[in-house]
Each structure stands twice: as structure tokens, then as C-alpha cells.
């Protein structure tokens, strides 16, 4: 009887403890889904066959990964690659987009309602159909900041290449006919110059840091508002008109939006100094290329360096390529081994977080 009374007295506590264990188990089950094998039923499509192995493993540790057998760039991407993606994407929860080709409504329709997140392995995302993603409730992430150092290095290279007339000088070397003389093929100095940055974001700031050893007299920048990082960089916030009118070197490092599209045009080029060197490491459509051609042809500005063009690739017979005062690269801004690996891993980790209920590392506000 005594034992029965003791058990009876402890019964409410036992019930409470059982309830706590039951609730704990309910909480633990979703945790297993985010950390264990239960996420393996989620499919992730990698859109190109050149995704770095380290990033691929990050995805394979959590999900069932499907990967296109084809390159998602150029002619192969728009034909064989597109057909492969349309075949593989139905039922996928996430898409890793490695391409400068557009994400079409056809691809999104083929994916179906299961698609929850698109992770583009790029800083720019205008090719990802952001308005349609927003309408469908699909999250979008990109890979900003990790590519800023590499792109900034290319921007500095373009400044030097354009200002020191590499196009003309390389042509001399190839022809074996060097212009010898004290006043032949002279360029412009960075020393004691004014450098204007259109868009002092991650890339713009990295450009300023890398140019600080060139004895630049003044850094100025334009944008929507002053940046707190500018003070440490000795960069002065000015209007865009002031930047165009006062800069010896102008670097465009802004994303492509409705506001920035064709921002470098006949009118804005007309405000630049005759010795101005213009560099674009943003997007090709920031520039009215017909207006740029005229400004360079007529020596309205001194020179230009482009890592981005419209279209890409630029046709080999394009009129821009006839200009001796233009230096063009084939969109290699982020093309280093380390940077591409870090971009791919950030894209993968965005998907891991997005599909396991954790905060996205670099979400795009749609």
C-alpha cells in the first residue's frame, strides 16, 4: 500500500516528464531533416558541367544532386544544355544557375511548384528573371563580395591598358613595326589624377584600395547616398555630373537595373574630359555602345577599357574592335581559381541554408 501511494504521488511528475520527452522528440525530428539523411529526398539541379567539385560535395552531402552533362554557356548552353535542363529540372527544389544565359519562363514552368530557390553563381542577377521569380514566390541568391577583389584587379588592369595604349602597342609588337621616338604612343598618368567610381559598392571599394599605391590625388564617387566606408578610403561623395566632369579615370561598377541601363550615353559621355579614360566592369548594357564608339572615334574622350559588352561574345567584326583607343577583355572579371571556387561554394551554401530552414547568406531582395 505504501509503495502504491508513493507511485501515485509521483504520477503527475511522470506524466509531465513524458510530455516533455514527447515534445522534445517532435522538435528533434525536423532537426534530423535539416542535418541528416531526410533531406536526401530533395533534388538540386546544377545547370552546368563545370561546377567546382568542392561546391558539388557541399550539395551532395545534403541532397540528391542532378548535374547537366553540358556547358551552360554559349551555343552549347542554349541548345544541348537547355534541353538537358528542361529534362532534369521537374521536381527539383533548388537550381544552381551557372551561366550568363537567361532563366526563361519555360525552365520555371518545367520545374513546377516544387522549386523554392535559385542560386546564381554571379554577382549580377538580371539574367535570372527576377520579376518572374518574385511572382512565383521563388527565392533568389547571388554571390556578391567574394568576387570583388578579382574584378577590381581587372578594373585596374583595364585602367592601365587603356591609358597606356596597350591595343596600339600590342599591334606594333605583332606587326614587328615599333614606333620609335621620344613622343610616340604616349599615354596618361594615374599619378596626381582624379579617379571617379560610379557605385562605391564592394567592387568600387576594392578598386580604390588597389589604386591607393598609384599616387592618385583624389578619389570621388557617385551613388544614391554616401557610404560609411568612404571616409577610410579618402573618397568624396559627389553628384554624377561632378564625377563625369572632373574625373580623369571613370570606373563603372554598378549592377544593371532599369535605372542604370544605358547610363553611359551620348549625354554623359559629352560631360567627360577629353583626357578621360572610361572603364566598365559592371554590365555591358550600362553603356550605349554606339555613343561610346562615336566618342572614342572622334577623340571626345581619350580611351576606354571594357570587360563587359553587349552582346557577349562581341562579334569579331564589331566596329568597336576597330578602335585603337579601346581595350576589350572577354568578361574575365571573376576568372581566378580561388574566386570561382568561393563563388560556387557560396552558391551551394545558400541552397543548403535555404532548404534546411536557415537564413540565406546572400539573398537578393526581389
Amino acid at each position: 500500500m505504501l509503495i502504491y501511494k508513493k507511485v501515485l504521488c509521483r504520477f503527475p511528475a511522470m506524466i509531465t516528464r513524458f510530455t516533455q520527452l514527447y515534445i522534445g522528440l517532435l522538435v528533434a525530428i525536423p532537426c534530423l531533416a535539416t542535418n541528416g539523411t531526410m533531406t536526401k529526398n530533395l533534388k538540386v539541379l546544377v545547370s552546368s558541367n563545370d561546377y567546382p567539385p568542392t561546391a558539388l560535395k557541399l550539395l551532395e552531402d545534403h541532397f540528391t544532386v542532378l548535374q547537366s552533362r553540358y556547358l551552360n554557356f554559349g551555343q552549347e548552353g542554349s541548345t544541348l544544355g537547355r534541353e538537358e535542363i528542361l529534362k532534369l529540372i521537374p521536381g527539383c527544389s533548388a537550381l544552381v544557375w551557372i551561366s550568363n544565359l537567361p532563366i526563361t519562363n519555360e525552365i520555371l514552368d518545367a520545374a513546377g511548384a516544387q522549386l523554392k530557390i535559385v542560386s546564381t553563381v554571379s554577382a549580377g542577377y538580371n539574367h535570372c528573371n527576377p520579376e518572374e521569380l518574385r511572382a512565383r514566390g521563388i527565392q533568389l541568391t547571388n554571390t556578391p563580395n567574394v568576387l570583388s577583389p578579382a574584378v577590381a584587379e581587372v578594373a585596374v588592369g583595364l585602367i592601365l591598358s587603356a591609358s597606356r595604349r596597350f591595343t596600339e602597342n600590342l599591334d606594333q609588337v605583332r606587326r614587328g613595326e615599333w614606333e620609335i621616338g621620344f613622343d610616340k604612343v604616349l599615354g596618361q598618368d594615374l599619378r596626381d589624377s582624379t579617379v571617379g567610381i560610379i557605385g562605391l559598392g564592394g567592387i568600387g571599394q576594392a578598386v580604390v584600395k588597389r589604386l591607393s599605391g598609384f599616387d592618385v590625388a583624389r578619389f570621388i564617387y557617385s551613388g544614391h547616398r554616401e557610404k560609411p566606408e568612404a571616409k577610410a578610403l579618402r573618397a568624396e561623395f559627389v553628384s554624377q555630373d561632378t564625377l563625369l566632369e572632373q574625373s580623369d579615370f571613370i570606373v563603372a561598377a554598378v549592377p544593371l537595373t532599369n535605372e542604370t541601363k544605358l547610363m553611359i550615353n551620348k549625354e554623359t559621355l559629352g560631360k567627360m574630359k577629353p583626357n578621360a579614360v572610361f572603364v566598365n566592369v559592371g554590365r555591358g548594357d550600362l553603356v550605349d555602345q554606339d555613343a561610346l564608339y562615336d566618342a572614342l572615334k572622334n577623340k571626345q574622350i581619350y580611351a576606354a577599357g571594357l570587360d563587359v559588352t553587349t552582346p557577349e561574345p562581341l562579334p569579331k567584326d564589331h566596329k568597336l574592335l576597330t578602335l585603337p583607343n579601346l581595350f576589350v577583355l572577354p568578361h574575365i572579371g571573376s576568372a581566378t581559381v580561388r574566386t570561382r571556387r568561393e563563388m560556387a561554394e557560396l552558391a551551394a551554401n545558400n541552397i543548403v541554408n535555404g532548404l534546411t530552414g536557415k537564413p540565406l547568406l546572400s539573398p537578393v531582395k526581389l
Side-chain angles (χ1 to χ4, degrees), residues 94-133:
L95 170 63
V96 180
W97 194 248
I98 316 161
S99 184
N100 58 355
L101 298 172
I103 297 177
T104 62
N105 286 3
E106 182 184 22
I107 291 173
L108 297 177
D109 289 341
Q114 187 77 17
L115 188 65
K116 302 302 180 186
I117 180 170
V118 171
S119 186
T120 180
V121 191
S122 61
Y125 52 85
N126 54 291
H127 61 303
C128 293
N129 208 351
E131 292 184 2
E132 188 64 25
L133 293 182

Side-chain angles (χ1 to χ4, degrees), residues 125 130 134 140 362-366:
Y125 52 85
R134 181 177 66 246
L140 176 64
S362 51
V364 174
K365 186 177 181 181
L366 295 176

